Amino acid sequence: MARQQAPPWVHVALIFFLLSLGGAIEIPMDLTQPPTITKQSVKDHIVDPRDNILIECEAKGNPAPSFHWTRNSRFFNIAKDPRVSMRRRSGTLVIDFRSGGRPEEYEGEYQCFARNKFGTALSNRIRLQVSKSPLWPKENLDPVVVQEGAPLTLQCNPPPGLPSPVIFWMSSSMEPITQDKRVSQGHNGDLYFSNVMLQDMQTDYSCNARFHFTHTIQQKNPFTLKVLTNNPYNDSSLRNHPDIYSARGVAERTPSFMYPQGTSSSQMVLRGMDLLLECIASGVPTPDIAWYKKGGDLPSNKAKFENFNKALRITNVSEEDSGEYFCLASNKMGSIRHTISVRVKAAPYWLDEPKNLILAPGEDGRLVCRANGNPKPTVQWMVNGEPLQSAPPNPNREVAGDTIIFRDTQISSRAVYQCNTSNEHGYLLANAFVSVLDVPPRMLSPRNQLIRVILYNRTRLDCPFFGSPIPTLRWFKNGQGSNLDGGNYHVYENGSLEIKMIRKEDQGIYTCVATNILGKAENQVRLEVKDPTRIYRMPEDQVAKRGTTVQLECRVKHDPSLKLTVSWLKDDEPLYIGNRMKKEDDSLTIFGVAERDQGSYTCMASTELDQDLAKAYLTVLGRPDRPRDLELTDLAERSVRLTWIPGDDNNSPITDYVVQFEEDQFQPGVWHDHSKFPGSVNSAVLHLSPYVNYQFRVIAVNEVGSSHPSLPSERYRTSGAPPESNPSDVKGEGTRKNNMEITWTPMNATSAFGPNLRYIVKWRRRETRETWNNVTVWGSRYVVGQTPVYVPYEIRVQAENDFGKGPEPDTVIGYSGEDYPRAAPTEVKIRVLNSTAISLQWNRVYSDTVQGQLREYRAYYWRESSLLKNLWVSQKRQQASFPGDRPRGVVARLFPYSNYKLEMVVVNGRGDGPRSETKEFTTPEGVPSAPRRFRVRQPNLETINLEWDHPEHPNGILIGYTLRYVPFNGTKLGKQMVENFSPNQTKFSVQRADPVSRYRFSLSARTQVGSGEAATEESPAPPNEAYTNNQADIATQGWFIGLMCAIALLVLILLIVCFIKRSRGGKYPVREKKDVPLGPEDPKEEDGSFDYSDEDNKPLQGSQTSLDGTIKQQESDDSLVDYGEGGEGQFNEDGSFIGQYTVKKDKEETEGNESSEATSPVNAIYSLA
């Protein structure tokens, strides 16, 4: 996070502003004045021969000046040359070649003269030259023969162009020549080899010249090299050798200078230009170059090293940069140095340039022309383009070297003076006129300007004026009498008032008054002071992982009367707000950050008067870039050195490098991990296996993730050898009763060690000491046939390739195939443990009858029937396993009160043996399962109805049900109550003790063994909290009594209407649906009406009318009809009721609720609606 400094152009503008404050006062153009040159071409004017020639010269004056030219110091008659014309109201020359002609004919030195009746102004002497790009001379170059390690210079010698061409070296196939400390191009364009290596023969070398004006490139015929060497093999593995020269048999040599020659030289440079010193040395190894200045340090702020330290450039040279410099070339064989004596000369430069002189009649003045240079320049004065010595004498003018003094000037003294100062390195020419005027003060700017400035800034109030004699100017604020000058104010010569630091109290109206002997003039400026724009919460530097979201804050405070604009820059360029970015008034949000989002972000808050900048840097952590330039060196029989160049870590340090390999014999195209190395290394020795054609790649890993794999290295094949290991996971197992299949895991490419990998398979029966059978196999399995049943074998598998056999293999025990067991378990005994489990015991079979590996004993059992009559049971067979050779076990999870049958078998890898004799057993009575469909309903606030169905699994004869329930209110529990019911009862009603508490119910069924699993439910919650809280005293509320009376009255009215309609017959529509026809399906539901019939259709006494109009007979709690099959209950021989175990018919939910609903007046209204 940083508040950014003002950009450089602000400082430059400030300098120009300060210079303008001290500049000369300009004469308004409506007043007469001598000419002034305003625009001209450069002194050395080089033009493109394909275009028309343009030589610029523009001037101002009153009256408007006329122009003429000289060429090579002689009058240039434009009218005589049809190709040459002069622009209207300008002195600019145009030379047109559209109709032919050679531009070279117009080369020379041109000078422009601008004249009116008050004088003549001159331009610089403009040297016109036509750009040249001559062709390279054709030449046939013989191959350059050079000894490896020797120095070499390939000379370019480009054709002389104007301006000089840019030189660069390429191959004939337009590939750039790679330059480094050993091979580089000199400033003169030649290509220098400090020492030649065999690899330099791999390309040719062509010098190219690019000409600026014609935009053409000319190519010299290429050089070809022939390098003589003692080691003709260009082994790429030696390029990274720490001592490549000795490895290639190149003799080492001390340095010597190729350029410049000798031990010393001198160089002259002009002040303000760049000084370029160059030292190129040969030697083996390649020398290093260092630079020094005798008697002092190099100017650090101006000196920089170029061309791999072979060149030293000092910019904007001044006199103190002269002296002796030396370069030191050194390698391990020694060092030499070359001294360069630098002399700084100077073309003329201004110390005091003459300025226009505006005088009133009778005033005195002077023109000063001071310049410096090396050698000291001479000064020559001219007037109106003529030497001052040949001009008419003027008694009011006195020349004193570089100064002309005017006394008691008159109108006749008006003229344009030229000062020409020159030495052998150049010249300077300046025009300055003397104008004699009588003019009262006048203001040159619009009146009553509004200036808005920012608090605490430095500002300027302009008041351009003119008058002759030069008026005096004073400033006043808000009409006050005191002149503003000094302290926080400063008035410049041109009339501008500078306020060094604006404060709130500086706001107001400022008046400037210009006065001379001829009168006065004034103008006003209104100054408004605004608060500065400030970013008070700046964006902060952030580090983000790729794909995350980043928010950069930028909160701004500004003057409310100014319009604020907040914009963002990225890397000092305007930021494009794409669909991944969201710009708000006080922040910038970047979604799904990517690597390209990294950089500096600048928040720029600006108004029309000022701006504030705040910068933050966003660092994006990404996966590393892939490593590159893999190289194999130190090639050995079982190892190789792999070197790579790391890719960019994308701001997250690389923690590991994973080296992978691929071989093209067993699994071509499949990459395997070879080894892992820390992120601090970029070279590693890899241990290799014999006879593998390796290819490597490298993956970089950091905290964010893994890079893409590098491009593969070149291949490297190791030599072969006998295998050093044998296949693993050797097994022998039978797939049939008379065979044995021998299998193993085949060896991979890195363990084959040679071609034609195969396996020697040996086997024999265990403990027979018979000879080994053997066979050679190329795959990974072999089947031995005609084997006895389940016999142990000794097995060996040995690897072999064309180089030999592997080590002696280990012996593995395998077995031939199994057959089904021949015997069944005997003496199977059953003991009942409880209602759901039995204990088994048997005699184990003899091992020779198993005919394989005994896996387990297995019991098959099934439920034959239930002791409860008419209860259907599933006779699906189930099994229980007893692994290993054991004589007993337990069978669990049986159904109580049931008849079972059971058989036993022995199991091996082939399958089941014969079954034992079938045994029968009976499980005793158990506890029942939970009652089904336990339902709790609350028809009103006084009663809770319970209903349930019989258990799905009675597990015996039911003797009844037990209900436990307890009231609760929040965490407060009441007294638990217990109710016991007969086995036939499936309903129960509980009268609530209070309307607030809820109830928790637990219902279980019982047999003679005990109670079974319980079903639990809770009564419904009250309708709402307010109703519950006020239930205790609601009957005493007046509004409730009134509501009940209204409801009773409404019911009475409805009953009266119903009886009237009934006496007439027909229907009475309760809902207003007169226009809707009655549907045939359910007319009562369609129109909301009731049918009323005669007295004969009234229900009988002792019955209840349900809501659907049907008449149901009242049922008692001990009715057996609901539990019977078809309507009659069934009894056992001992009189016990068994109909409860059949499926119960569902009853309508309205049953059991009719009496309670009939007593509620609200329900009566609902029934009528």
Side-chain angles (χ1 to χ4, degrees):
M1 175 181 67
R3 189 178 296 278
Q4 190 170 340
Q5 297 293 326
W9 59 264
V10 174
H11 302 294
V12 176
L14 180 61
I15 293 172
F16 284 128
F17 159 64
L18 295 177
L19 290 175
S20 68
L21 295 179
I25 296 177
E26 297 284 333
I27 301 177
M29 286 305 299
D30 60 338
L31 298 178
T32 58
Q33 56 184 290
T36 301
I37 300 292
T38 58
K39 190 176 183 181
Q40 57 184 319
S41 295
V42 295
K43 292 179 181 179
D44 291 316
H45 188 33
I46 302 174
V47 296
D48 190 337
R50 299 170 299 178
D51 298 333
N52 292 335
I53 295 176
L54 202 69
I55 310 176
E56 291 184 311
C57 178
E58 296 182 7
K60 66 177 182 177
N62 190 1
S66 61
F67 299 89
H68 74 270
W69 286 83
T70 63
R71 179 185 175 199
N72 299 328
S73 300
R74 299 179 62 183
F75 175 73
F76 183 39
N77 193 342
I78 299 172
K80 288 186 176 182
D81 193 333
R83 294 193 186 93
V84 183
S85 62
M86 190 183 297
R87 286 182 175 174
R88 187 181 179 188
R89 296 178 183 175
S90 169
T92 298
L93 289 182
V94 180
I95 307 175
D96 192 346
F97 297 101
R98 286 178 294 181
S99 58
R102 296 179 66 249
E104 291 80 4
E105 297 176 356
Y106 291 90
E107 290 185 326
E109 188 177 79
Y110 292 78
Q111 192 167 27
C112 174
F113 293 75
R115 173 180 290 120
N116 67 10
K117 64 179 181 179
F118 301 115
T120 302
L122 276 65
S123 74
N124 289 323
R125 296 188 297 276
I126 302 170
R127 184 184 178 194
L128 177 67
Q129 295 176 283
V130 178
S131 173
K132 297 177 178 62
S133 53
L135 296 177
W136 223 304
K138 294 294 183 181
E139 54 183 340
N140 292 322
L141 301 175
D142 295 328
V144 179
V145 181
V146 62
Q147 183 69 36
E148 186 174 18
L152 175 65
T153 302
L154 299 181
Q155 294 184 345
C156 180
N157 296 326
L162 185 69
S164 299
V166 177
I167 305 300
F168 57 96
W169 287 80
M170 303 183 78
S171 67
S172 57
S173 59
M174 302 306 290
E175 292 290 332
I177 300 300
T178 302
Q179 299 189 29
D180 52 22
K181 185 174 71 170
R182 185 177 66 86
V183 181
S184 63
Q185 175 186 321
H187 184 61
N188 60 2
D190 294 345
L191 188 65
Y192 294 91
F193 294 76
S194 294
N195 50 76
V196 175
M197 300 300 295
L198 184 63
Q199 66 201 43
D200 297 330
M201 276 200 316
Q202 295 177 357
T203 185
D204 54 12
Y205 302 86
S206 176
C207 183
N208 295 262
R210 184 174 67 243
F211 294 91
H212 171 68
F213 279 91
T214 59
H215 301 289
T216 59
I217 295 177
Q218 296 195 28
Q219 188 177 51
K220 187 176 182 177
N221 285 344
F223 293 95
T224 57
L225 298 186
K226 182 178 181 182
V227 180
L228 305 179
T229 179
N230 298 324
N231 186 357
Y233 300 103
N234 186 16
D235 192 347
S236 61
S237 64
L238 297 177
R239 292 183 183 177
N240 290 335
H241 196 281
D243 193 354
I244 185 174
Y245 297 102
S246 62
R248 293 202 52 79
V250 177
E252 296 177 335
R253 293 185 294 104
T254 57
S256 63
F257 283 109
M258 305 175 69
Y259 179 88
Q261 300 289 333
T263 59
S264 64
S265 59
S266 63
Q267 193 166 332
M268 189 273 289
V269 64
L270 291 180
R271 178 183 183 272
M273 306 296 287
D274 284 359
L275 169 65
L276 183 67
L277 305 178
E278 191 171 33
C279 282
I280 301 175
S282 66
V284 178
T286 304
D288 294 312
I289 306 294
W291 289 91
Y292 304 92
K293 183 180 182 183
K294 185 177 291 185
D297 296 329
L298 297 176
S300 59
N301 57 335
K302 298 193 297 181
K304 60 179 180 179
F305 302 104
E306 298 177 353
N307 198 18
F308 310 98
N309 264 30
K310 299 176 184 180
L312 170 65
R313 182 182 296 274
I314 300 176
T315 58
N316 192 20
V317 169
S318 57
E319 285 79 358
E320 57 265 23
D321 294 321
S322 60
E324 289 190 354
Y325 295 79
F326 66 90
C327 58
L328 185 69
S330 60
N331 63 11
K332 66 180 182 178
M333 301 300 294
S335 63
I336 58 171
R337 77 176 185 174
H338 182 94
T339 302
I340 305 174
S341 179
V342 174
R343 295 173 292 114
V344 178
K345 299 292 185 177
Y349 56 93
W350 290 116
L351 298 177
D352 198 348
E353 184 179 2
K355 296 179 177 62
N356 293 334
L357 190 60
I358 303 171
L359 301 173
E363 280 191 317
D364 298 340
R366 65 175 57 200
L367 291 177
V368 180
C369 178
R370 291 195 181 97
N372 198 4
N374 187 5
K376 183 72 176 177
T378 60
V379 176
Q380 179 189 11
W381 284 100
M382 293 182 289
V383 58
N384 296 327
E386 299 293 334
L388 193 60
Q389 297 84 351
S390 61
N394 187 343
N396 304 101
R397 179 180 65 207
E398 177 186 351
V399 178
D402 58 8
T403 303
I404 301 179
I405 303 172
F406 299 92
R407 295 185 178 89
D408 191 21
T409 56
Q410 301 302 320
I411 298 297
S412 59
S413 300
R414 291 183 293 189
V416 181
Y417 290 83
Q418 288 84 33
C419 174
N420 185 76
T421 175
S422 62
N423 64 12
E424 63 187 80
H425 303 299
Y427 75 93
L428 293 174
L429 176 66
N431 292 278
F433 65 70
V434 176
S435 183
V436 182
L437 296 172
D438 249 346
V439 180
R442 60 195 294 187
M443 294 295 169
L444 304 180
S445 62
R447 301 184 62 82
N448 301 321
Q449 293 186 79
L450 171 63
I451 304 296
R452 297 184 297 174
V453 296
I454 296 297
L455 186 67
Y456 305 128
N457 275 9
R458 182 180 185 180
T459 193
R460 177 189 67 176
L461 304 182
D462 291 326
C463 183
F465 67 96
F466 184 77
S468 183
I470 300 298
T472 59
L473 188 79
R474 293 182 297 169
W475 283 88
F476 305 93
K477 179 186 175 186
N478 296 332
Q480 296 176 356
S482 59
N483 181 30
L484 297 177
D485 199 3
N488 198 34
Y489 301 99
H490 179 69
V491 180
Y492 287 89
E493 181 184 347
N494 68 348
S496 294
L497 173 66
E498 180 189 12
I499 306 176
K500 298 176 183 177
M501 181 181 287
I502 291 290
R503 298 161 298 184
K504 283 290 187 181
E505 53 267 27
D506 292 324
Q507 185 166 288
I509 297 177
Y510 289 78
T511 303
C512 60
V513 180
T515 307
N516 68 9
I517 59 175
L518 301 178
K520 72 174 182 177
E522 66 177 45
N523 199 355
Q524 289 185 340
V525 177
R526 183 158 61 92
L527 181 68
E528 290 185 358
V529 179
K530 303 295 183 181
D531 290 329
T533 302
R534 289 291 177 265
I535 299 174
Y536 67 90
R537 182 167 293 179
M538 293 177 279
E540 297 182 348
D541 294 343
Q542 295 195 41
V543 177
K545 287 187 177 181
R546 190 180 60 158
T548 59
T549 299
V550 169
Q551 186 177 62
L552 300 172
E553 281 193 305
C554 182
R555 299 194 179 182
V556 184
K557 182 179 181 182
H558 72 290
D559 193 292
S561 63
L562 301 177
K563 182 181 178 181
L564 175 68
T565 301
V566 178
S567 57
W568 288 84
L569 308 177
K570 181 180 184 294
D571 298 328
D572 300 325
E573 296 291 335
L575 175 65
Y576 169 70
I577 307 295
N579 55 4
R580 292 189 305 106
M581 296 185 182
K582 181 180 181 183
K583 176 181 171 292
E584 297 177 312
D585 293 339
D586 57 358
S587 66
L588 173 70
T589 304
I590 306 174
F591 302 96
V593 170
E595 283 87 350
R596 64 180 178 272
D597 296 322
Q598 178 168 303
S600 63
Y601 288 80
T602 304
C603 175
M604 184 167 60
S606 58
T607 64
E608 55 266 41
L609 298 183
D610 70 336
Q611 69 176 17
D612 193 18
L613 306 177
K615 180 180 287 188
Y617 197 87
L618 174 61
T619 302
V620 179
L621 303 181
R623 297 188 303 174
D625 293 342
R626 67 172 68 184
R628 57 186 176 86
D629 297 345
L630 271 64
E631 188 172 19
L632 299 178
T633 58
D634 301 345
L635 306 177
E637 188 173 349
R638 294 293 178 266
S639 67
V640 68
R641 177 173 290 277
L642 175 65
T643 304
W644 61 90
I645 296 177
D648 192 334
D649 63 6
N650 290 322
N651 307 305
S652 179
I654 295 174
T655 57
D656 297 291
Y657 287 104
V658 177
V659 178
Q660 296 182 326
F661 75 93
E662 179 260 354
E663 53 81 28
D664 58 2
Q665 182 178 358
F666 288 88
Q667 292 180 297
V670 178
W671 290 89
H672 308 273
D673 287 348
H674 184 280
S675 48
K676 181 184 287 188
F677 300 97
S680 57
V681 305
N682 70 325
S683 180
V685 175
L686 308 180
H687 298 286
L688 309 179
S689 297
Y691 202 70
V692 178
N693 193 19
Y694 282 101
Q695 184 174 228
F696 300 98
R697 69 183 187 184
V698 182
I699 298 173
V701 181
N702 63 9
E703 286 188 0
V704 181
S706 300
S707 71
H708 292 295
S710 68
L711 296 177
S713 69
E714 57 187 348
R715 287 196 178 272
Y716 177 66
R717 179 184 288 278
T718 54
S719 58
E724 295 180 1
S725 62
N726 289 309
S728 60
D729 199 21
V730 178
K731 296 178 182 178
E733 295 177 344
T735 58
R736 297 182 179 179
K737 65 180 181 178
N738 59 352
N739 76 358
M740 178 179 65
E741 183 180 62
I742 303 173
T743 60
W744 57 91
T745 300
M747 298 168 65
N748 57 29
T750 59
S751 55
F753 286 20
N756 297 322
L757 178 67
R758 50 201 179 269
Y759 304 97
I760 301 173
V761 182
K762 298 180 180 181
W763 72 95
R764 70 180 180 184
R765 287 188 60 173
R766 188 181 184 185
E767 298 176 352
T768 60
R769 298 300 178 184
E770 63 184 24
T771 59
W772 289 91
N773 303 286
N774 68 81
V775 67
T776 300
V777 179
W778 296 83
S780 60
R781 61 187 292 269
Y782 180 74
V783 178
V784 179
Q786 303 303 318
T787 62
V789 174
Y790 201 65
V791 173
Y793 281 84
E794 294 179 338
I795 302 171
R796 295 178 180 176
V797 180
Q798 185 179 27
E800 181 184 26
N801 61 24
D802 288 355
F803 290 93
K805 296 180 180 180
E808 281 298 318
D810 296 331
T811 301
V812 176
I813 303 302
Y815 286 85
S816 58
E818 301 176 70
D819 200 356
Y820 294 109
R822 298 198 306 267
T826 58
E827 300 295 329
V828 178
K829 298 179 181 179
I830 299 175
R831 182 168 63 89
V832 177
L833 299 178
N834 52 43
S835 61
T836 60
I838 62 172
S839 172
L840 293 176
Q841 189 171 351
W842 61 88
N843 289 339
R844 292 178 293 182
V845 298
Y846 293 104
S847 59
D848 57 348
T849 65
V850 177
Q851 300 196 107
Q853 182 182 5
L854 191 151
R855 300 290 179 89
E856 63 182 29
Y857 286 93
R858 185 179 297 166
Y860 290 99
Y861 61 94
W862 60 96
R863 191 181 182 190
E864 188 71 20
S865 64
S866 172
L867 296 180
L868 296 172
K869 293 183 179 180
N870 299 325
L871 181 63
W872 178 88
V873 297
S874 171
Q875 294 184 347
K876 179 181 178 181
R877 292 198 167 213
Q878 296 175 285
Q879 65 182 41
S881 297
F882 310 103
D885 189 9
R886 60 170 69 181
R888 61 179 60 86
V890 174
V891 178
R893 303 184 66 179
L894 302 173
F895 284 97
Y897 214 51
S898 300
N899 295 316
Y900 278 89
K901 289 185 178 181
L902 179 143
E903 297 172 343
M904 291 287 295
V905 297
V906 64
V907 182
N908 65 10
R910 189 72 184 275
D912 293 0
R915 302 181 186 276
S916 68
E917 61 177 329
T918 302
K919 298 290 184 178
E920 295 184 0
F921 65 94
T922 301
T923 55
E925 193 173 9
V927 296
S929 61
R932 291 183 298 168
R933 291 193 285 275
F934 184 31
R935 303 177 294 281
V936 178
R937 291 187 176 88
Q938 185 171 304
N940 52 50
L941 297 178
E942 291 81 18
T943 306
I944 299 175
N945 292 334
L946 309 179
E947 292 184 12
W948 61 89
D949 292 346
H950 298 299
E952 182 180 4
H953 301 291
N955 296 333
I957 300 173
L958 287 185
I959 62 172
Y961 294 93
T962 300
L963 175 69
R964 291 177 172 83
Y965 59 98
V966 60
F968 67 95
N969 188 356
T971 58
K972 184 178 179 181
L973 298 177
K975 180 181 178 182
Q976 178 176 287
M977 287 161 279
V978 179
E979 297 283 350
N980 290 312
F981 308 122
S982 68
N984 301 329
Q985 186 171 345
T986 57
K987 295 181 181 179
F988 184 67
S989 295
V990 176
Q991 298 300 317
R992 299 170 61 96
D994 62 79
V996 178
S997 298
R998 297 174 60 191
Y999 285 82
R1000 186 174 293 121
F1001 299 97
S1002 175
L1003 178 68
S1004 60
R1006 302 191 312 275
T1007 64
Q1008 294 290 346
V1009 178
S1011 295
E1013 181 184 355
T1016 59
E1017 289 289 343
E1018 291 184 358
S1019 62
N1024 56 64
E1025 196 67 27
Y1027 182 84
T1028 302
N1029 294 337
N1030 298 328
Q1031 188 68 29
D1033 56 349
I1034 192 171
T1036 62
Q1037 301 293 324
W1039 63 267
F1040 179 74
I1041 298 174
L1043 176 63
M1044 292 297 102
C1045 293
I1047 292 173
L1049 179 60
L1050 178 60
V1051 171
L1052 180 61
I1053 294 172
L1054 289 174
L1055 290 175
I1056 293 172
V1057 173
C1058 289
F1059 279 109
I1060 293 174
K1061 292 294 290 181
R1062 183 171 179 175
S1063 63
R1064 299 178 181 177
K1067 300 180 181 179
Y1068 174 74
V1070 178
R1071 293 190 297 268
E1072 294 294 332
K1073 290 189 178 180
K1074 298 179 181 179
D1075 299 330
V1076 180
L1078 300 177
E1081 291 83 0
D1082 192 356
K1084 291 188 272 304
E1085 290 184 4
E1086 289 292 333
D1087 63 3
S1089 63
F1090 290 87
D1091 285 323
Y1092 293 94
S1093 57
D1094 298 333
E1095 296 284 341
D1096 298 333
N1097 293 329
K1098 291 181 182 179
L1100 299 174
Q1101 292 183 356
S1103 65
Q1104 292 181 336
T1105 304
S1106 67
L1107 291 179
D1108 61 0
T1110 61
I1111 300 174
K1112 292 181 180 285
Q1113 182 179 352
Q1114 289 182 332
E1115 300 171 307
S1116 63
D1117 290 339
D1118 55 356
S1119 174
L1120 303 180
V1121 176
D1122 290 335
Y1123 307 102
E1125 188 67 28
E1128 295 182 359
Q1130 298 181 9
F1131 291 84
N1132 210 343
E1133 293 178 354
D1134 58 359
S1136 61
F1137 177 65
I1138 63 172
Q1140 56 185 327
Y1141 303 119
T1142 61
V1143 179
K1144 175 187 173 184
K1145 297 179 181 179
D1146 292 335
K1147 297 190 288 182
E1148 297 292 334
E1149 291 185 0
T1150 56
E1151 292 180 340
N1153 296 336
E1154 294 154 355
S1155 61
S1156 60
E1157 290 180 353
T1159 60
S1160 171
V1162 179
N1163 290 335
I1165 295 175
Y1166 288 161
S1167 66
L1168 290 175

